[in-house]
Amino acid sequence: MLRPSFLGPVAAMLLLGLSGCALEGPSGVSDTEARDRFIAVIDETQRTIGGDWQVDDDPTSRECTIPLWVPGHRYPALRIGEAPASVERTADAVEQAWRDDGMSVERQLVGDVVEVSATSEFGELFILRVSEGAATLQGESECRPTA
């Protein structure tokens, strides 16, 4: 028989085992509006950074899971840019823009690369990696229920 003190950690591990999306449910907009909102943030971030960008967004959705094991889909984006004039100023500007948009933002140094990542209230994920050599901007839209 399982002891009650054991059930808490087991429940936590089950929650961590959920794959796909965060615990947020889908927003109240259509799939197209959700994807457009996500791409608009990617586009605006790209404009904030400036420079020339290669757009490698994938139009094919990926599987994800919404809470209570509902199957869903989300869209990825990938942009590759030239090195910015200033890594720190670029990271600062993007971090501030994402915070101003109400996102949860983290920043870390990975070798000589500054990584700024953000999660929106809808579970959208945005990641900027910037160094003296290049910049990459990627993300995933919110997880939407599969029709």
Side-chain angles (χ1 to χ4, degrees):
M1 181 168 174
L2 292 176
R3 295 187 314 237
S5 63
F6 182 72
L7 293 178
V10 168
M13 288 184 62
L14 285 173
L15 268 176
L16 289 174
L18 292 175
S19 63
C21 302
L23 294 177
E24 295 85 1
S27 62
V29 300
S30 73
D31 287 356
T32 301
E33 291 169 322
R35 185 165 191 270
D36 290 348
R37 177 188 62 220
F38 163 71
I39 293 297
V41 173
I42 293 285
D43 289 343
E44 182 58 34
T45 302
Q46 186 179 315
R47 282 190 293 277
T48 297
I49 298 167
D52 293 324
W53 290 83
Q54 174 183 326
V55 177
D56 289 328
D57 297 350
D58 188 346
T60 308
S61 65
R62 297 178 179 170
E63 292 181 9
C64 58
T65 304
I66 299 172
L68 302 177
W69 299 275
V70 174
H73 63 275
R74 63 182 351 163
Y75 290 91
L78 174 62
R79 313 285 173 94
I80 301 169
E82 58 192 23
S86 168
V87 170
E88 288 300 316
R89 280 196 309 265
T90 298
D92 290 344
V94 170
E95 181 178 359
Q96 188 60 53
W98 288 348
R99 285 189 193 284
D100 290 347
D101 282 346
M103 293 189 221
S104 171
V105 180
E106 294 182 15
R107 183 172 174 163
Q108 63 183 345
L109 188 60
V110 182
D112 63 346
V113 176
V114 176
E115 180 180 279
V116 182
S117 60
T119 305
S120 76
E121 66 181 300
F122 307 114
E124 299 158 317
L125 174 65
F126 303 95
I127 301 171
L128 169 70
R129 290 185 182 101
V130 62
S131 70
E132 296 295 331
T136 60
L137 176 60
Q138 66 189 69
E140 291 184 330
S141 68
E142 72 173 281
C143 188
R144 305 290 299 180
T146 303

